[in-house]
Amino acid sequence: MARTSSGSARPKRGSSRPRTPLGFVGRFAAFVGASILAGALVAGIALPFVGGFGLTAKAASENFDDLPSDLDQPFLSQPSYILDSEGNQLAMVYDRYRILVNFDQISPIMRQAIVAIEDSRYYEHGPIDLKGTLRALLRNQQSGGAGSKQGGSSLTQQYVKNIFVEEAGNDPAKVAKAQAQEVSRKIKELKYAIGLEQRLSKDEILNRYLNITFFGRQAYGIEAASQRYFSKHAKDLTLPEAALLAGVVQAPSAYDPIGYPNAARERRNIVLQRMVEVKVISQADADAAKATELGLKTQPLPNGCITADQIDGAAFFCDYVERVVKNDPAFGANRDERDRLWREGGLRITTTLDRKAQKAAYTAATKGVLQKDPVADAVVMVEPGTGRIKAMAQSRPYGFGDYETTLNYSVDHNMGGSTYGFQTGSTFKPITAAAALESGMKVDQEYSTDAQIDMRKEKFRTCDKPTAPDSSFKVNNESSSEVGTWNMQTALEKSINTYFVLLSKDVGLCPIATLADQLGVHSGDGKALQQVGSMTLGSNTIAPMNMAAAYAAFASRGVYCAPIAVAEVAKLDGTKLAVPQAGCKQVMKQSTADTINALLKGVVEDGTGAMAGLKDRDNAGKTGTTDHRKAAWFVGYTPNLSTAVWIGGAKNDVEMVDITIAGVPYDKVYGGQVPGPIWKSAMNGALKGADAPGFVDPPGGTIPPKPDPNRKGDDGTTKPRDQNRPPGNGNTRPPWTPPWTQPSTPPSSDGGGGTSKPPPDTTRPPGHSRPPTGDPLGGGGWGGF
C-alpha cells in the first residue's frame, strides 16, 4: 500500500473489497436509489418514495417548486485590521483568513485547473451535470466504497454548499448539518443552483467559488491559499502551483502539502493529467510540471492580538479593543450580534493608540520592573479632554508561559483585567479633596492631629446611613513624627492619613462616592465603591485606567471623559460604523479642578512625589502605597496627558518589603520611589517634542500659605473645624464634638503607613485585600505616602 510522508497507509486507487451477494444487493439498491434521486432532481418532482431505498429526506414530501430559489451571497469572513491612531497596523485578527479577489486577479491557469478536476463540463451544462453525476455514482458503486469517491455535484452546487458551511460559522452541529448527505439538502442545493445560474454568469459563479472554498491551513479562498503556500498573489500562480491548489480542494487535510507532501504531489499530478484529458494543456506541459518539486514558499498567517506584543507590548491594548467590540452596545444590540460582527471581520479598526506614547510606556514599564521580578507593573495613559487611551503597557508580556500573562492589569475584570482591580492607597485622596471643595470647604481647612486615630467610636455618613463603628482598627500616619496642624495643601503633600480621615468624616462619604462615580471610578468588578471609613485612604480596588481617566478630569478643568480605545470602524466597502463615545461632561467646577492642580503640583515639587516631577512643564500627581505595601502607585498628569502607574503582586499577595525590583534592593517600597520614576520616564518619552501648556491658576492666583505644623488646636490635640462653612451636597450633619482620644497603645508603623496590624482576616477572598462588605475601615489602614 502507498504511504504518506507520516508513514500512514493509503489505499491504492482501484483496490476492492471482497465481493459478497449481500454486498452486491446493498450496492445495487444504493445505486438505484441514487439514480432515482438524480432523475428526480432533474425532473423537479416530489420525492415521497425515496425512503424505500434508505435515503433519509426530512423534506422529501416538499414540492420542488415550493422551495425558494434566491440565495443571498453571505458576507464572507475576512480578516479585520487593528490600526494605531496613524493608520499603521497593530494586528490582524480573523476567524477565517480570506482575501477577496476579482475574476481577473486569478491566473487563468488556476481557473482552468479547478474546472478540469472539479467539473470539467462546467461551461457546457446547466446547474446540474446529469451525465457527470451518473458517471460518478456508477464509478463509486463499482469501487465498492474503497478509494477516493468522485463527486457528482457541479461547481455551482459546490458553491451553494460552501455558502451553507460559511453561514454555519464555527458551530460543529451546524457545519455537520450543512454537509449532511441528505436528500432535502441536495434538493435545496439544486434549487438555489438553478436560481444562481439564472442570475449570474459562469465566470461570476466560478469567481465566487474560488473566493469561498477552503484550501486548508486556515486559508479560505484562492488568494489566501496563494499567500499561505507560495507567498504570492493568485494572479501569479504557475501551472504546477495551480494544479497543487486545485487538488487540495477535494480533501484539504489529506492532501495538505505541508503535512503530506507525497500525497499532495500525487494529487497534483492527477490534476495535471486531467488537464491533459480535457485538452487544457499538452502532455509535454503536464510532464514538465510533474517533474517539478512542490515549490512551497510558506508563510505563517499571524492571527490575533498576541502578534501585537512585538509592537512595544501593544497586545494588551489590542485585546482591550477586541473586548470593546464584543461588549459595547455600539457594535450590536446583544452579544450574539457583536460576536458575529467580530467573527465575520472585514473591519478596519482605527484606535486611539499613539505609537510614541506606547513605546515610552512600554520602555518605562519593562525597565522599571523586570519580567521575572516578584511583582509586576502597569502603565496606562489617557488624554485629558478626549478620553483617548494613548498607551497601555506592563512588565509581563502577553502570553501563556512562565512570567507571562493574558490578564490586563490596567483595566476592569470584564475587559480582561484582574478580578477586583487593586487598592489605590493615597492616590484616592485628591478625589476626597475635590469633593470637599465642591461641598464648600476651603483649602485652608485645618485639622491638628496626632500620628494615629482610634476609630472605635467613629461613624461616617454614607448615602444611606451612618456606618457602624469599627472595633479593632486604628489609622496611622507613615511616621510617628507626623503630628501637628495641617491644611489641605500640606496634608496632600505629605499624604497625612489622619487629616483625610477627619476630612472625609466631615464631608461625608456620600459626596465623595458620588464624585468618584462621576469620575468613572468604581471597583474593578464593576460595582460601586464601598462607602467605608477607609475609602479616602484607598481601600477600594480600582483599575489603573480608571484612575488615569479620573485624574485627566483634573487636567481638563473638571471635564470627565470616559476612556475610549476606538476612534473609527469601517467596513471594507467604506461603510463606517458607530463607535463608543467618551461622553465628556463637566463633573466639577473649573475652580475646583484648578485648585486640585495647584495642590498636586506641590506633591511633585517638594512632597512625596518629588522623585517623579517633570522639568520644564506643568505637572501634578499623587503617590499611593497600600496596607502592608501590597501595591504602590503614582498617578499624575500634565494638561495634555494623564498617566497611572501601579506595581504590586498580580494577586495582591506580595508585601514589598526587603524586595529587589529591577535589580535594586528596597527595604520598603513607596509610591514615589518605584512607580514615580516609572511615571516620569514614561511621561518624558510620550511628551518629547509636544507642547507644554500650563495649568490655569486657582481662584485668587495662589493657594493659602501653609500652616505652622507645630501649632495645636484649642484642646491641645485638634483644631475645631469652621462651624460657619456650608454643609456639603445636602448632607445632614450632626453637631461636631472633638472625637479623638489618645490610644492606650503607642502608634505603630506596619510597613504600609496605615494601621496597627489587625488579626488575620479570614473573610477576604484568597489573593486579594478587598474589604468585606460592611467593614467601616475596609479591613485595615492604607499607606498615604
Side-chain angles (χ1 to χ4, degrees):
M1 298 179 71
R3 293 186 177 273
T4 67
S5 61
S6 63
S8 58
R10 289 182 179 278
K12 289 183 179 179
R13 184 178 297 276
S15 61
S16 60
R17 298 176 180 174
R19 305 301 177 114
T20 65
L22 182 60
F24 174 77
V25 172
R27 290 192 297 276
F28 177 77
F31 170 68
V32 173
S35 300
I36 292 173
L37 170 60
L41 288 173
V42 176
I45 62 174
L47 299 169
F49 52 82
V50 294
F53 292 95
L55 299 173
T56 302
K58 296 179 181 178
S61 61
E62 289 183 333
N63 189 286
F64 185 77
D65 292 333
D66 292 335
L67 292 173
S69 60
D70 291 336
L71 180 64
D72 292 332
Q73 183 183 20
F75 182 90
L76 300 182
S77 177
Q78 300 170 73
S80 288
Y81 300 90
I82 299 179
L83 314 174
D84 65 19
S85 60
E86 299 297 321
N88 303 304
Q89 183 173 314
L90 294 174
M92 177 173 63
V93 295
Y94 53 86
D95 188 67
R96 294 181 175 178
Y97 182 65
R98 176 186 283 114
I99 302 173
L100 299 181
V101 289
N102 297 324
F103 191 73
D104 58 4
Q105 293 175 299
I106 305 171
S107 71
I109 199 65
M110 181 67 232
R111 304 195 300 257
Q112 292 168 334
I114 199 72
V115 169
I117 195 63
E118 289 296 322
D119 186 1
S120 61
R121 299 180 64 253
Y122 174 66
Y123 284 96
E124 301 170 22
H125 62 66
I128 183 171
D129 181 9
L130 180 57
K131 179 180 177 181
T133 299
L134 293 177
R135 181 180 63 246
L137 288 168
L138 181 59
R139 288 186 180 178
N140 291 338
Q141 293 306 316
Q142 289 175 341
S143 72
S148 299
K149 286 186 174 290
Q150 291 194 13
S153 297
S154 68
L155 277 175
T156 306
Q157 288 174 278
Q158 291 184 47
Y159 169 61
V160 172
K161 182 177 72 174
N162 274 312
I163 289 177
F164 295 154
V165 172
E166 183 77 17
E167 290 178 336
N170 293 326
D171 187 321
K174 291 181 179 179
V175 171
K177 182 175 178 60
Q179 296 176 325
Q181 296 299 318
E182 296 178 348
V183 174
S184 59
R185 185 181 68 79
K186 286 290 186 181
I187 293 173
K188 289 180 180 177
E189 273 185 19
L190 176 60
K191 188 61 180 287
Y192 284 131
I194 292 172
L196 284 171
E197 294 225 3
Q198 289 174 343
R199 294 186 291 111
L200 302 174
S201 70
K202 288 284 190 177
D203 285 351
E204 288 173 321
I205 295 172
L206 179 59
N207 184 211
R208 291 188 179 193
Y209 172 82
L210 284 170
N211 272 319
I212 198 173
T213 198
F214 181 49
F215 289 86
R217 296 278 175 171
Q218 295 182 302
Y220 289 81
I222 188 59
E223 177 69 14
S226 300
Q227 297 284 353
R228 179 69 179 93
Y229 296 113
F230 299 111
S231 298
K232 62 169 57 176
H233 295 296
K235 66 182 178 62
D236 299 322
L237 288 170
T238 64
L239 171 59
E241 293 167 349
L244 179 73
L245 295 181
V248 166
V249 170
Q250 185 184 74
S253 296
Y255 298 126
D256 174 12
I258 297 175
Y260 300 104
N262 292 336
R265 180 181 291 104
E266 180 183 350
R267 177 64 178 169
R268 178 198 69 179
N269 293 346
I270 290 172
V271 174
L272 289 167
Q273 195 59 42
R274 182 59 179 162
M275 294 176 75
V276 173
E277 293 173 5
V278 297
K279 302 184 181 345
V280 172
I281 60 174
S282 68
Q283 186 64 56
D285 290 337
D287 292 342
K290 290 177 185 179
T292 65
E293 297 297 326
L294 294 184
L296 298 179
K297 189 178 180 181
T298 60
Q299 63 175 349
L301 302 178
N303 183 20
C305 286
I306 194 169
T307 61
D309 209 48
Q310 303 170 8
I311 305 174
D312 297 317
F316 295 100
F317 178 82
C318 175
D319 181 82
Y320 181 78
V321 170
E322 177 177 344
R323 292 173 187 273
V324 168
V325 175
K326 290 183 175 180
N327 284 278
D328 199 292
F331 297 105
N334 53 57
R335 184 61 186 248
D336 287 343
E337 287 186 13
R338 298 189 291 269
D339 282 348
R340 181 178 178 85
L341 175 69
W342 185 262
R343 186 176 67 250
E344 289 180 344
L347 306 174
R348 291 181 62 86
I349 304 171
T350 303
T351 71
T352 60
L353 185 126
D354 179 275
R355 282 286 181 97
K356 184 174 72 169
Q358 179 66 26
K359 182 177 180 63
Y362 177 72
T363 301
T366 53
K367 288 186 176 180
V369 178
L370 304 183
Q371 179 180 348
K372 294 185 179 181
D373 281 347
V375 293
D377 70 3
V379 181
V380 58
M381 297 177 167
V382 176
E383 185 175 64
T386 68
R388 287 172 167 255
I389 303 168
K390 309 298 283 186
M392 191 180 285
Q394 54 195 57
S395 57
R396 290 188 179 163
Y398 190 96
F400 301 92
D402 293 338
Y403 300 100
E404 295 179 343
T405 184
T406 57
L407 284 177
N408 186 341
Y409 302 138
S410 293
V411 301
D412 289 339
H413 174 61
N414 72 318
M415 298 302 286
S418 63
T419 302
Y420 293 130
F422 306 102
Q423 292 176 330
T424 59
S426 294
T427 59
F428 192 88
K429 287 175 181 174
I431 298 176
T432 298
L437 294 173
E438 288 286 289
S439 71
M441 284 188 172
K442 305 297 183 183
V443 174
D444 59 1
Q445 174 65 44
E446 295 181 1
Y447 298 106
S448 297
T449 74
D450 290 296
Q452 186 183 77
I453 291 180
D454 189 338
M455 305 294 288
R456 288 175 293 184
K457 299 180 181 180
E458 298 311 315
K459 294 183 179 182
F460 292 80
R461 292 182 302 278
T462 70
C463 292
D464 299 321
K465 59 183 180 181
T467 63
D470 183 78
S471 59
S472 57
F473 295 107
K474 301 177 179 67
V475 170
N476 299 317
N477 293 331
E478 165 61 6
S479 170
S480 59
S481 65
E482 290 178 334
V483 298
T485 300
W486 320 92
N487 68 5
M488 202 176 291
Q489 179 186 14
T490 55
L492 277 171
E493 287 179 5
K494 304 301 180 185
S495 209
I496 304 299
N497 290 336
T498 51
Y499 177 94
F500 276 93
V501 168
L502 295 176
L503 184 66
S504 64
K505 186 173 186 294
D506 211 16
V507 174
L509 300 183
C510 188
I512 300 171
T514 299
L515 179 59
D517 180 69
Q518 293 172 333
L519 290 169
V521 176
H522 51 259
S523 174
D525 59 8
K527 297 179 180 178
L529 300 182
Q530 294 187 58
Q531 296 180 42
V532 293
S534 57
M535 179 172 71
T536 190
L537 305 180
S539 62
N540 281 281
T541 51
I542 301 166
M545 186 173 71
N546 295 332
M547 294 300 293
Y551 275 49
F554 297 141
S556 57
R557 305 193 70 200
V559 174
Y560 171 74
C561 302
I564 56 172
V566 178
E568 180 181 280
V569 176
K571 294 186 176 181
L572 294 182
D573 63 3
T575 304
K576 293 184 180 180
L577 305 181
V579 298
Q581 299 298 307
C584 301
K585 59 183 178 180
Q586 193 83 35
V587 298
M588 69 183 78
K589 295 189 290 287
Q590 289 185 346
S591 59
T592 295
D594 295 340
T595 301
I596 294 295
N597 296 339
L599 293 173
L600 295 185
K601 280 181 67 176
V603 174
V604 298
E605 288 173 353
D606 56 7
T608 58
M611 293 178 67
L614 307 178
K615 294 181 179 180
D616 303 322
R617 63 174 67 241
D618 274 3
N619 63 110
K622 184 70 187 75
T623 56
T625 311
T626 69
D627 198 22
H628 306 298
R629 284 180 164 79
K630 290 185 177 180
W633 292 69
F634 191 89
V635 187
Y637 53 95
T638 65
N640 47 0
L641 189 63
S642 176
T643 298
V645 177
W646 159 88
I647 70 167
K651 296 181 179 179
N652 201 27
D653 55 354
V654 179
E655 295 189 17
M656 292 182 287
V657 178
D658 294 326
I659 191 172
T660 297
I661 301 174
V664 179
Y666 297 93
D667 293 333
K668 298 178 181 180
V669 170
Y670 297 85
Q673 186 184 46
V674 182
I678 292 173
W679 179 89
K680 182 176 183 177
S681 173
M683 291 289 283
N684 277 332
L687 294 172
K688 185 177 181 180
D691 293 339
F695 293 124
V696 176
D697 289 336
T702 60
I703 54 178
K706 300 177 182 179
D708 178 1
N710 298 316
R711 179 165 53 85
K712 295 292 184 179
D714 296 339
D715 61 356
T717 56
T718 62
K719 180 178 180 181
R721 65 200 73 185
D722 182 2
Q723 297 295 316
N724 296 319
R725 64 171 174 78
N729 289 2
N731 279 274
T732 302
R733 300 179 181 277
W736 180 83
T737 55
W740 317 121
T741 304
Q742 290 285 348
S744 57
T745 56
S748 66
S749 176
D750 66 352
T755 67
S756 300
K757 291 184 178 179
D761 182 358
T762 59
T763 65
R764 296 178 184 173
H768 293 275
S769 296
R770 181 181 177 83
T773 302
D775 179 356
L777 288 181
W782 278 260
F785 45 94

